[in-house]
Amino acid sequence: MAAMSLSGKRVLLGVSAGIAAYKSALITRLLKQAGCEVRVVMTEGARAFIAPMTLQALSGEPVRTSLLDTAAEAGMGHIELARWADAVVIAPATADVMARLANGFADDLLTTLCLASDAPGLIAPAMNQAMWRSPATQRNLATLADDGWRQVGPAAGDQACGDTGPGRMSEPEEILAALTDCLPPSTPAPDDDAAHLVITAGPTQEALDPVRYLTRHALSNHSSGKMGYALAAAALEQGARVTLISGPVALPTPAGAQRIDVTSAADMHQAALQLAPDADIFIGCAAVSDYRAAEPAAHKLKKTADDDTLTLTLVKNPDIIADVAALPSAQRPPLVVGFAAETRDVEQYADDKLARKALDMIVANDVSAAGLGFGSDDNAAWLLWRTPAGSASEHQPPQPKTQLARAVIARALVQRSALLP
Ligand code: C5P
């Protein structure tokens, strides 16, 4: 039943300028009845077909039209609104909106939100049959499907303009059913006994001057944070509570995770030590910069005509995970899990690191293989963990990071349970 699985979802309903816009009132009502939070965004033209006041009354939230609305931006800004949404539905989606979305335009609030949102999107096209059949619309539709947009309808039949053919917007009930299929299954709410995972993710940035920084990988930034974020999502799927200590990344926060944003290794170190005593499992997945500038410049470093070299004095950053693992037993998380990126003798180096940093488990990637590791969507790894007799290991073949994350979390939860009295 659509009404059951949509409960609690945050739906952004986009309404564009077609005669079917009058049906958006019923869509809003059905979504509310299904237990959704609904925020409506209209294109300028849509206001000629249905009054914003109607949709405001039905959704219980202000309806937004303009990108440049100072008062609305002071409340929930457009990026915040894009992040807020669990799903975006555009009903009706006109030929014009489809063309703008397919080409990545951000020339009004609705298209900007679509560009800024990672949430699943659904379009319910509605237009004259000839416009629907036109090669341009069909080309845009194919692009939108490639970009991940789902589509519901259009149905064929009599049209408002007197034509007959495909282009009638699907009925609101069908749109809700299609929306339900787009959404991932709900994550179970953590219970009181749920394990608390604290995960560091992403790179750290170490200021050299007000505009430049150093990362672990000097000028190239290898760490996208994908693995750490996938671990957080996998842990949430397992019903755990998750706190993500995140360096600067361009990733959405997994729904249900508490995210603490940090920039430098020093900030991450401080957050990690503060949160560690409350963690059942601590996972260090961040690519922490090994060094920072001894004295960041107060002003932008200038190039001068006679200087071909720049000398920087760098000092070592604290080893965050080693410090967490070295906490006194009352404060130390029962399971501390580190990562290692190796290009050869992966298992041997990982075993050394497990011992050197006093970890309980380590996930060692072989980053020498093409298409795996940093920044990519796939990874292969060795999982090593301590046993009373020494250590044990398991190989995970190349697979999407989301899947590998599930294997890591499953193993970590098993190891943590083994430690429970
Ligand atoms: O020694 P190496 O940097 O290769 O170890 C990687 C592991 O240590 C990862 O788990 C990483 O998050 C963690 N680490 C850390 N603080 C540092 C350097 C690495 O927590 N300063």
Side-chain angles (χ1 to χ4, degrees):
M1 273 277 294
M4 294 269 293
S5 40
L6 284 175
S7 176
K9 299 293 182 193
R10 298 184 291 209
V11 179
L12 191 75
L13 174 62
V15 181
S16 62
I19 181 64
Y22 75 93
K23 291 189 186 169
S24 58
L26 186 52
I27 299 173
T28 307
R29 219 180 79 193
L30 290 175
L31 286 170
K32 291 294 285 183
Q33 281 171 354
C36 298
E37 282 180 59
V38 185
R39 288 183 180 254
V40 181
V41 171
M42 303 175 81
T43 62
E44 276 295 335
R47 299 158 62 119
F49 292 89
I50 183 164
M53 187 63 85
T54 306
L55 300 175
Q56 177 161 319
L58 290 168
S59 66
E61 296 288 344
V63 170
R64 292 190 55 179
T65 309
S66 170
L67 185 57
L68 308 171
D69 179 337
T70 341
E73 284 292 309
M76 190 187 267
H78 62 277
I79 297 295
E80 229 178 311
L81 190 54
R83 286 197 188 126
W84 168 89
D86 294 322
V88 178
V89 191
I90 307 185
T94 58
D96 176 68
V97 144
M98 286 173 55
R100 288 189 291 128
L101 288 177
N103 287 285
F105 279 25
D107 54 353
D108 67 0
L109 179 61
L110 181 58
T111 47
T112 303
L113 290 172
C114 291
L115 212 53
S117 175
D118 287 313
L122 175 71
I123 47 168
M127 67 198 71
N128 165 270
Q129 54 84 21
M131 290 170 79
W132 173 253
R133 288 190 225 264
S134 82
T137 300
Q138 292 303 311
R139 203 166 49 236
N140 292 331
L141 186 67
T143 304
L144 290 172
D146 279 350
D147 290 350
W149 283 88
R150 305 276 199 99
Q151 174 198 343
V152 53
D158 292 341
Q159 300 204 299
C161 52
D163 280 6
T164 304
R168 285 170 58 97
M169 188 173 85
S170 295
E171 292 307 322
E173 291 79 2
E174 293 172 279
I175 295 174
L176 256 73
L179 177 63
T180 312
D181 290 342
C182 295
L183 286 164
S186 302
T187 305
D191 58 39
D192 289 344
D193 298 333
H196 180 205
L197 276 81
V198 175
I199 302 172
T200 67
T204 64
Q205 293 177 353
E206 315 298 324
L208 293 180
D209 68 18
V211 292
R212 297 191 188 85
Y213 57 81
L214 192 73
T215 67
R216 179 179 177 91
H217 307 286
L219 297 176
S220 69
N221 180 2
H222 281 315
S223 177
S224 60
K226 281 182 187 161
M227 192 63 203
Y229 276 61
L231 289 167
L236 288 159
E237 268 174 26
Q238 298 295 315
R241 197 153 63 84
V242 173
T243 307
L244 198 51
I245 307 175
S246 178
V249 294
L251 292 172
T253 310
Q258 195 202 347
R259 170 166 158 180
I260 295 170
D261 285 319
V262 294
T263 305
S264 66
D267 299 339
M268 189 176 272
H269 187 244
Q270 192 186 11
L273 291 183
Q274 199 177 330
L275 287 159
D278 185 47
D280 297 299
I281 301 176
F282 182 96
I283 307 184
C285 190
V288 183
S289 178
D290 290 320
Y291 295 93
R292 66 177 184 277
E295 286 174 32
H299 299 286
K300 190 178 164 195
L301 298 167
K302 291 274 180 224
K303 272 185 290 196
T304 57
D306 6 292
D307 275 342
D308 284 337
T309 58
L310 168 70
T311 306
L312 291 169
T313 307
L314 303 178
V315 290
K316 212 169 193 172
N317 270 327
D319 190 318
I320 300 170
I321 203 159
D323 285 356
V324 167
L327 284 169
S329 59
Q331 290 172 29
R332 185 192 191 275
L335 196 81
V336 181
V337 184
F339 271 70
E342 307 293 351
T343 51
R344 64 193 170 93
D345 301 329
V346 178
E347 233 190 316
Q348 183 53 49
Y349 281 123
D351 203 32
D352 294 348
K353 200 167 286 183
L354 188 71
R356 183 161 40 83
K357 299 200 182 203
L359 307 176
D360 305 295
M361 179 173 151
I362 194 157
V363 182
N365 307 321
D366 182 350
V367 290
S368 61
L372 298 178
F374 298 123
S376 94
D377 288 328
D378 285 3
N379 226 352
W382 280 96
L383 273 51
L384 278 84
W385 59 93
R386 279 181 201 272
T387 63
S391 64
S393 67
E394 166 186 307
H395 186 246
Q396 290 289 334
Q399 57 195 292
K401 282 183 178 173
T402 46
Q403 205 175 313
L404 179 64
R406 290 192 186 107
V408 171
I409 294 297
R411 171 55 58 192
L413 289 170
V414 167
Q415 292 312 109
R416 182 245 181 188
S417 304
L419 294 167
L420 291 174

